[in-house]
Amino acid sequence: MADRLTQLQEAMDQLCTMFVAAFYYIERHHDLKSFGPNDKIPDLKADQPKEVETLDPETFHAGQLELARDLITKEQQIEYLVSTLPGLDNSERDQLQTILDLEEEIVAAEAQRMEAVRERDEVLRRLDGILGVGRRPQ
């Protein structure tokens, strides 16, 4: 699993992509309306591609609602990731103490590993002695 900062960066990238997709959806499927008395909606010629594919109001609103929910969900995921990062709750001294504690655990684990290696070597030496006695001379 990726570290928290990588997860946060990926979530931010996804949020930006979602924003672009939402803008595209709204820009591509909005209803054609004029906002002022001088505004005119141009007539399209037969060979011109449609710039806007107007959706019925219910479908358009449902799409907007789904996009908004997705954006909110992603934003909440980002907030959670940010809350798990060390920050104001963990001072530099606390973080240093945590590192020192982890280093002590590593030293203890290494000592246990070395003891296990010594025990293994001793057992192998005794086993070789036992097997050596039981072998027939060649």
Side-chain angles (χ1 to χ4, degrees):
M1 179 184 261
D3 65 286
R4 292 283 187 225
L5 288 177
T6 303
Q7 290 176 352
L8 182 59
Q9 180 62 51
E10 288 173 357
M12 290 297 294
D13 291 344
Q14 291 168 355
L15 182 65
C16 290
T17 302
M18 292 169 70
F19 273 125
V20 170
F23 285 131
Y24 178 79
Y25 177 82
I26 292 169
E27 188 265 337
R28 187 78 176 140
H29 300 293
H30 68 82
D31 194 13
L32 297 175
K33 292 184 180 179
S34 58
F35 293 104
N38 298 333
D39 293 343
K40 294 181 182 176
I41 298 173
D43 293 328
L44 292 177
K45 296 177 184 170
D47 61 340
Q48 275 184 310
K50 287 185 173 182
E51 292 181 15
V52 176
E53 294 177 9
T54 305
L55 297 176
D56 66 278
E58 288 181 16
T59 305
F60 182 65
H61 181 68
Q64 284 180 313
L65 205 57
E66 183 179 348
L67 289 168
R69 284 186 185 131
D70 290 345
L71 288 169
I72 290 169
T73 301
K74 184 56 69 176
E75 183 273 333
Q76 289 172 341
Q77 178 188 8
I78 289 170
E79 279 189 22
Y80 170 75
L81 289 170
V82 168
S83 72
T84 62
L85 294 173
L88 297 176
D89 296 339
N90 297 327
S91 68
E92 184 178 345
R93 187 178 336 164
D94 293 339
Q95 292 178 32
L96 184 59
Q97 185 59 48
T98 301
I99 291 170
L100 293 174
D101 293 343
L102 290 172
E103 285 177 349
E104 288 176 11
E105 287 180 29
I106 289 171
V107 167
E110 180 63 19
Q112 288 177 342
R113 188 186 74 79
M114 292 303 293
E115 179 60 30
V117 167
R118 278 193 289 279
E119 286 179 21
R120 181 198 65 190
D121 292 343
E122 175 63 26
V123 168
L124 286 174
R125 188 185 57 73
R126 281 192 280 158
L127 184 61
D128 281 344
I130 292 171
L131 291 175
V133 171
R135 289 187 188 156
R136 286 191 269 172
Q138 295 178 350

